Amino acid sequence: MTERRNCDLLAAYELNILEEAERRLFETHLPDCPDCLEELFAHAPVVTELLREPGLYAGRMTRPQSDPSLWNRLAAIFRRQPARVVAPLLVAALLAFVVFLPRNEASPFPGLARTDAPAYSVIPVRSGATADWQPLWQEGMLLYVAEEFAAAAARLEQAVPLLEQAVAADPHQRRHLDNARFYLGASRMLTGDADAAVPPLEAAATSHLPPVRQKSLWYLAQVHLLQDDPDGALAVLAPLESSPVYGPRARDQVAAIRSAR
Amino acid sequence: MSTAEASLDILCEKSLAGDARAEAALFEALRVRFLPIAKRRVHADQAEDLVQDTLKIVFDRYGSRNEGQGILVWGMTVLRNVIGNHYQSRNRERERIDFVDELPRDAADAHDPFSDLQLADTRRLLLDGIAQLAERFPRCGRIFHHLLHSLEKGGGPQEVSTRTLDLVRREDPDMNRGRFYTALHRCRAQLRDVLAGMDKGLSHD
């Protein structure tokens, strides 16, 4: 194997996926290759961090809309056996026409929902505090930022009961609880589970903090629309119409709902 | 298998099991690989001392490292810390006695985006970096995605690499092990470029 080929083993070596013989080969090459040694040295913190929590970073790599794996596989099958691709697609199209189109025509309300992910910014701070809910909250929000909404919801579901206990002991923790409930509801909405999104959003909408309360109401209205419940959405949007932040979009949405009726 | 024929991780396993010959061989093998790196960063007479300090820490703690990580790469992180501490104490000394020493001419002076970062910052930078990688180089994003998922599932090196290769082959049936390693190596280089190009400032609004 040439030097060039030996160097090509570097990434697999540092991620520790080489078989024993390959690993030995690369390690024998190392003392004579200052470039590879320097690369290993320079990249060591990245590798250490990747191996610390590979699942977290795997989620960050996912871009489902740009993942062509299914398309490639279908294309490969199509080239060999076109009927195996065309027939299921025809059936799926027929089902979509029969099942979904009539419902969309009958109910325009889910289409009015604005389900963009509410923003969250990670602010790294050094804190000596180590409340039991904090690691779950931080992990959950890192997953949320990484658009791993199902995994984020799973972490936040665990954090909320711990936060409820914390609030019982210290009411000043309430803002953390409201935030966790809000992002739990948002995460569930974003995974398509509108029904499960309602309870945490309703709870967050009772927050004493206007920003949390108002954004919870806004997303609660969107969830009601997804549930095909325009009355529920209108009831939630009503107090938002006077909000300086949500007022214009709430009034627009109320008008759209009434118009759709 | 003799100690001369074993990889560093096999030597490490044997050392942990109490094999003194394996431990001596591992010590020497790591020293040979650490020394050139240290010599590029500090004076030659200090390099040996720093490598000795590093090896002391490595041998003291290698039993408690993350099992998924190879001994050499893990040892490199220790060496980085030891050299970093050396620089810091030297800087403090400079401030105290107002004396400027010269680093060797060939000391690596390229900016290292991870040199001053704490764990939370490293994680944040890496999360952003790999997201950018997946966006700019989707094939690399998918390869890393499969590999990291496979690492998360666990298992030995062969199990992890075979599982990953199976997933990659679903999208690229012509992929073999050699090509996979090469592709991974290129994607790693892309990730390095992305990280190097990112703004070092880690402010988040």
Side-chain angles (χ1 to χ4, degrees):
Chain A
M1 189 179 276
T2 64
E3 286 299 294
R4 176 67 239 162
R5 297 285 299 281
N6 281 332
C7 290
D8 283 355
L9 296 176
L10 190 147
Y13 177 80
E14 67 183 1
L15 288 163
N16 205 19
I17 60 168
L18 289 181
E19 294 167 15
E20 170 63 14
E22 298 164 328
R23 215 170 354 162
R24 177 75 186 136
L25 182 71
F26 183 74
E27 286 173 352
T28 306
H29 151 82
L30 266 181
D32 301 321
C33 184
D35 289 345
C36 282
L37 269 177
E38 283 294 328
E39 272 296 313
L40 281 180
F41 180 77
H43 206 52
V46 174
V47 174
T48 301
E49 182 52 29
L50 283 175
L51 292 175
R52 196 193 309 271
E53 279 193 79
L56 175 68
Y57 294 102
R60 192 65 159 170
M61 289 283 182
T62 314
R63 282 285 180 276
Q65 66 272 28
S66 63
D67 186 342
S69 58
L70 178 61
W71 176 251
N72 278 357
R73 294 208 303 270
L74 281 174
I77 295 170
F78 183 73
R79 280 194 295 274
R80 291 193 300 269
Q81 294 170 288
R84 279 188 62 194
V85 174
V86 173
L89 285 177
L90 280 175
V91 172
L94 189 64
L95 277 173
F97 182 77
V98 171
V99 175
F100 292 108
L101 286 184
R103 182 190 290 179
N104 284 344
E105 280 174 8
S107 175
F109 301 115
L112 295 178
R114 291 168 61 175
T115 54
D116 48 311
Y120 181 80
S121 298
V122 176
I123 304 174
V125 291
R126 289 186 178 82
S127 164
T130 51
D132 52 4
W133 56 268
Q134 279 177 327
L136 289 165
W137 159 256
Q138 287 164 0
E139 278 178 33
M141 294 318 293
L142 280 172
L143 288 163
Y144 180 89
V145 170
E147 298 177 16
E148 288 285 304
F149 299 117
R155 299 292 197 288
L156 295 173
E157 278 165 11
Q158 293 175 280
V160 163
L162 297 174
L163 271 161
E164 286 169 346
Q165 290 172 18
V167 169
D170 175 11
H172 289 102
Q173 303 288 325
R174 173 69 195 266
R175 62 194 176 90
H176 298 303
L177 174 59
D178 292 335
N179 253 326
R181 284 169 166 165
F182 170 73
Y183 283 104
L184 172 58
S187 298
R188 285 175 173 171
M189 177 191 79
L190 291 162
T191 57
D193 193 349
D195 293 344
V198 171
L201 286 175
E202 279 182 341
T206 64
S207 174
H208 65 289
L209 297 169
V212 179
R213 187 169 64 241
Q214 289 184 11
K215 70 181 177 181
S216 300
L217 286 170
W218 170 254
Y219 280 96
L220 190 54
Q222 310 316 305
V223 168
H224 284 316
L225 286 173
L226 290 173
Q227 291 176 309
D228 199 14
D229 177 11
D231 291 330
L234 286 172
V236 172
L237 287 169
L240 283 181
E241 290 189 68
S242 58
S243 160
V245 177
Y246 288 94
R249 71 186 93 166
R251 289 192 291 274
D252 287 348
Q253 201 164 53
V254 167
I257 293 170
R258 287 185 176 141
S259 164
R261 279 179 152 169
Chain B
M1 185 187 294
S2 73
T3 52
E5 292 165 343
S7 72
L8 298 182
D9 288 287
I10 294 291
L11 290 178
C12 185
E13 281 175 24
K14 289 182 174 180
S15 300
L16 287 169
D19 183 335
R21 284 184 58 204
E23 189 164 80
L26 177 61
F27 189 94
E28 181 56 21
L30 291 177
R31 196 187 73 84
V32 166
R33 287 160 180 83
F34 288 168
L35 200 54
I37 294 170
K39 279 183 175 172
R40 289 195 64 193
R41 287 165 173 81
V42 298
H43 284 300
D45 55 343
Q46 294 169 323
E48 279 281 6
D49 289 344
L50 291 186
V51 169
Q52 289 296 328
D53 287 349
T54 303
L55 290 170
K56 182 174 172 297
I57 296 169
V58 167
F59 278 73
D60 196 33
R61 299 187 192 166
Y62 67 70
S64 58
R65 75 187 197 285
N66 175 1
E67 279 187 14
Q69 188 161 25
I71 182 79
L72 180 61
V73 177
W74 180 73
M76 292 282 192
T77 62
V78 177
L79 179 62
R80 288 175 65 92
N81 290 338
V82 170
I83 292 176
N85 290 344
H86 171 76
Y87 279 143
Q88 280 184 359
S89 61
R90 233 174 63 128
N91 288 341
R92 282 196 294 273
E93 185 74 1
R94 278 181 186 170
E95 287 166 14
R96 198 160 63 82
I97 63 176
D98 193 28
F99 170 78
V100 178
D101 200 355
E102 265 199 19
L103 281 170
R105 289 278 173 201
D106 62 345
D109 55 359
H111 173 64
D112 177 350
F114 288 88
S115 59
D116 305 319
L117 300 178
Q118 299 298 316
L119 177 60
D121 299 330
T122 305
R123 173 174 289 194
R124 180 69 191 165
L125 183 64
L126 195 48
L127 279 169
D128 289 346
I130 60 176
Q132 277 193 32
L133 177 80
E135 239 170 60
R136 288 168 54 186
F137 307 99
R139 183 168 180 258
C140 287
R142 291 195 296 278
I143 287 174
F144 267 110
H145 177 75
H146 294 320
L147 175 56
L148 291 168
H149 257 313
S150 189
L151 284 165
E152 175 78 2
K153 284 185 179 173
Q158 189 166 3
E159 189 181 346
V160 171
S161 63
T162 301
R163 193 162 50 211
T164 308
L165 188 54
D166 287 346
L167 290 168
V168 173
R169 274 188 184 136
R170 289 185 192 174
E171 298 155 11
D172 185 352
D174 297 330
M175 183 70 82
N176 58 33
R177 195 169 288 271
R179 286 186 57 217
F180 169 60
Y181 292 152
T182 303
L184 185 61
H185 183 62
R186 287 182 186 147
C187 291
R188 173 195 184 277
Q190 304 284 18
L191 178 60
R192 291 265 287 142
D193 287 348
V194 166
L195 290 171
M198 284 170 65
D199 186 3
K200 189 179 174 243
L202 286 163
S203 61
H204 304 274
D205 53 16

